[in-house]
Amino acid sequence: MWRKAVLVAVLALGMGYLFHTDPELPAYVLNYVSEFLSQMEPSGGSELRPPALEEAISRAWQTLITAPARRWGRVAVGVNACVDVVVSGVGLLQALALEPGSGRDHEVLRSKEDLKEAFIHYMGKGAAAERFFSDKEVFQRIARAAAEYPGAQLYVGGNAALIGQKLASNPQLVVLLCGPVGPKLHDMLDEQIVVPPESLQETDEFHLILEYKSGEQWGSSRAPQANRFILSHDVSNGEMSTLETFVASLEEFHPDLVVLSGLHMMEGMGRDLWEERLKEAVVAISDVRNEVPIHLELASMTDRDYMNRILQEQVMPIVNSIGLNEQELLFLTQSGGGPHADLTSWDGIPDVGRVSDILLWVLEQHGRADPESEADLTRIHFHTLAYHILATVDGHWGNQVAAVAAGARVASSQACGLQAVDINKVFLKAPLNFYSSFSEPRESLSVDPTRPVTVWRRGNVSFHFTPVLVCKQPLRTVGLGDAISAEGLLFSEVAAPSEL
């Protein structure tokens, strides 16, 4: 009984302070704290029933997530595919006889020492990253050690293959996957996925996924949250060698939607290669029929010139939609000289106002927020651990409340290894109060747990925000961004030409 009394006193003091500092604190937040207290066991034990806020959000998602009026029937996905070897990052580095030390980022990994330093650097931030390992023989030795490490697991890998797998879980969809598909990967793919014969190859490409848990420590480095570090020596995906095959397959497949990924893999191949290959990629992508929307899935990059080329001169203006996380968004604005480019990294949960500023800048400067613009980009699906935002140019996309909620729901369930959200295994980490921009003029906004998608507009761009119910003990973090983007696309619909 005394525990409840202490908790009541602490919460009362806390709520009093919050109300004093913010008299506009939404009434529903106060109501849910009250409900939370009322759900404590009356028997004198310290057991708590399911948290009220998380339960309300999970229930509301079920109501908000409705199918679009027009669904995709055929989706073509390309062009990076591989086999992921998932292993404990700290365990593998110890098996390689490496000692903990200081962290340091490397754009390209050339040795085991580079790997150790880059892993420690990102583990300390709790941030995802992906790097190319330039030495083939050393990488093969690391890969053998990873495959033999106790508990190592093999999965479908590569953004395109992961998105294809997620889309193929919908029985109404026919999915074409084009990428370097070896025998092991082919056996693991969903039966609904069509792979062109030209995409098949004799050997698989392997990527190593070094995972770490929230709070895991190695030496002086401690992970603030669970995440992963990815490395590969992957020439086929690095050269996007199946891109032309992918585009040629579209003529016969007749997709309603094209999903493109793998551009980040070219970065590790050197400027001479990516500069020429990027031009060829743009020509190939431009051959896709105008009426078919293209979604581009971004991933971790380090070369600002390369990202700036994608942003300003090459790819971004000719796709309709992009998906990215907080690291990729920050690198994008740093590369292009956008808002908040002076930030070196996010401090904890990315500020919603700052994220909103950058998303608006991308759509205004490199998208179609200006009706007179010739760019095609009208949609950005942003995801970070605590929340997601879907930013769209008005009049081009529909069902976005359902789409952003569906992406958050799959993040909550998949991270816990479940088919549905278990509110006893998740917690709310997103801010319930935030601003539409980092600077004035700005709008003060709140999250209502009974309708957990907050909407605001800036010019002719609409923003849809929803919190994520974060998994307390995630089983697997790799592929979450791909699942989020795939689920968001499943519930999105593009406006018919007559509606534009």
Side-chain angles (χ1 to χ4, degrees):
M1 190 70 181
W2 64 269
R3 290 174 179 166
K4 182 175 179 180
V6 170
L7 183 55
V8 169
V10 170
L11 279 173
L13 285 170
M15 293 306 298
Y17 172 76
L18 285 173
F19 190 80
H20 176 73
T21 56
D22 185 5
E24 300 299 319
L25 193 70
Y28 53 74
V29 176
L30 302 175
N31 292 339
Y32 276 102
V33 171
S34 174
E35 184 180 340
F36 174 80
L37 288 172
S38 71
Q39 290 184 354
M40 295 189 69
E41 291 292 331
S43 61
S46 58
E47 292 290 322
L48 297 179
R49 292 181 186 174
L53 282 170
E54 285 83 350
E55 184 174 25
I57 290 169
S58 182
R59 284 180 177 175
W61 279 343
Q62 305 308 315
T63 303
L64 293 175
I65 299 173
T66 57
R70 288 186 298 274
R71 303 189 186 190
W72 316 111
R74 302 170 72 81
V75 181
V77 187
V79 292
N80 61 328
C82 64
V83 175
D84 280 344
V85 182
V86 182
V87 66
S88 162
V90 172
L92 176 61
L93 295 180
Q94 289 174 331
L96 293 170
L98 292 167
E99 298 291 334
S102 57
R104 179 187 171 199
D105 195 12
H106 294 272
E107 292 186 5
V108 176
L109 307 179
R110 294 178 172 84
S111 65
K112 291 192 295 184
E113 194 68 22
D114 285 358
L115 167 60
K116 180 192 77 172
E117 291 177 351
F119 176 83
I120 291 173
H121 174 79
Y122 283 100
M123 178 180 171
K125 294 175 178 290
E130 183 168 353
R131 294 293 180 267
F132 179 78
F133 202 104
S134 62
D135 190 314
K136 181 180 179 180
E137 291 184 3
V138 175
F139 176 79
Q140 287 177 339
R141 288 198 294 270
I142 297 172
R144 280 195 295 270
E148 294 168 1
Y149 188 83
Q153 295 176 300
L154 270 59
Y155 294 97
V156 171
N159 306 90
L162 286 165
I163 291 172
Q165 282 284 89
K166 188 64 183 177
L167 292 172
S169 64
N170 185 326
Q172 297 175 326
L173 269 183
V174 180
V175 179
L176 172 81
L177 172 65
C178 197
V181 177
K184 174 69 72 174
L185 176 59
H186 197 256
D187 288 345
M188 293 191 290
L189 290 174
D190 190 287
E191 292 181 357
Q192 273 188 242
I193 294 179
V194 178
V195 180
E198 297 83 0
S199 285
L200 299 174
Q201 57 182 44
E202 294 181 358
T203 58
D204 286 280
E205 299 285 359
F206 288 92
H207 288 203
L208 308 186
I209 315 296
L210 279 58
E211 293 197 321
Y212 49 85
K213 299 175 182 177
S214 178
E216 187 170 359
Q217 190 152 355
W218 193 39
S220 60
S221 181
R222 183 181 178 87
Q225 62 191 37
N227 224 316
R228 75 280 177 191
F229 183 89
I230 305 174
L231 68 147
S232 68
H233 179 88
D234 185 344
V235 177
S236 295
N237 283 304
E239 295 178 348
M240 294 186 76
S241 59
T242 58
L243 179 60
E244 284 77 11
T245 300
F246 176 54
V247 174
S249 302
L250 302 182
E251 188 172 341
E252 183 178 342
F253 184 69
H254 298 296
D256 307 313
L257 171 69
V258 169
V259 180
L260 178 66
S261 64
L263 286 175
H264 63 288
M265 296 295 299
M266 286 202 292
E267 182 186 49
M269 306 305 290
R271 187 184 184 99
D272 289 344
L273 185 144
W274 68 246
E275 200 161 39
E276 189 61 34
R277 193 72 181 108
L278 198 56
K279 292 176 183 176
E280 295 169 354
V282 170
V283 172
I285 297 166
S286 299
D287 286 340
V288 178
R289 289 180 294 127
N290 289 337
E291 62 269 26
V292 179
I294 302 172
H295 172 85
L296 172 67
E297 192 67 16
L298 293 178
S300 177
M301 298 186 217
T302 60
D303 188 325
R304 291 193 180 186
D305 287 342
Y306 183 59
M307 173 61 93
N308 196 41
R309 191 71 61 86
I310 290 172
L311 176 68
Q312 293 198 27
E313 302 174 30
Q314 304 276 350
V315 183
M316 204 79 76
I318 62 173
V319 300
N320 306 86
S321 168
I322 59 173
L324 75 178
N325 67 18
E326 75 279 8
Q327 303 299 327
E328 294 141 17
L329 184 74
L330 183 58
F331 188 64
L332 190 151
T333 195
Q334 290 170 342
S335 301
H340 314 298
D342 57 331
L343 278 180
T344 56
S345 63
W346 298 109
D347 184 13
I349 299 172
D351 177 78
V352 177
R354 280 193 166 107
V355 170
S356 175
D357 291 343
I358 301 171
L359 295 175
L360 182 67
W361 168 75
V362 174
L363 289 172
E364 286 186 338
Q365 298 299 316
H366 307 285
R368 208 171 193 173
D370 180 356
E372 301 300 317
S373 171
E374 295 183 359
D376 294 320
L377 181 64
T378 52
R379 178 184 184 271
I380 305 176
H381 194 166
F382 167 83
H383 51 87
T384 187
L385 180 70
Y387 65 86
H388 297 172
I389 295 177
L390 200 47
T392 53
V393 178
D394 293 342
H396 291 268
W397 296 86
N399 208 42
Q400 296 308 281
V401 168
V404 74
R409 183 178 65 177
V410 79
S412 300
S413 59
Q414 185 166 308
C416 288
L418 302 171
Q419 295 298 313
V421 178
D422 182 342
I423 58 171
N424 294 302
K425 296 183 177 181
V426 296
F427 69 101
L428 183 66
K429 195 171 184 176
L432 293 178
N433 295 281
F434 52 87
Y435 291 101
S436 61
S437 174
F438 188 69
S439 55
E440 299 292 348
R442 60 184 183 175
E443 183 181 357
S444 179
L445 300 161
S446 306
V447 176
D448 178 353
T450 64
R451 188 171 177 80
V453 175
T454 302
V455 183
W456 68 97
R457 295 182 73 234
R458 298 177 66 178
N460 65 338
V461 175
S462 294
F463 297 81
H464 294 76
F465 169 104
T466 195
V468 174
L469 299 180
V470 179
C471 185
K472 295 175 183 177
Q473 296 181 319
L475 298 179
R476 186 168 181 242
T477 59
V478 70
L480 267 186
D482 303 309
I484 290 163
S485 287
E487 198 77 354
L489 287 167
L490 271 176
F491 285 88
S492 294
E493 62 177 298
V494 68
S498 60
E499 298 172 355
L500 297 178

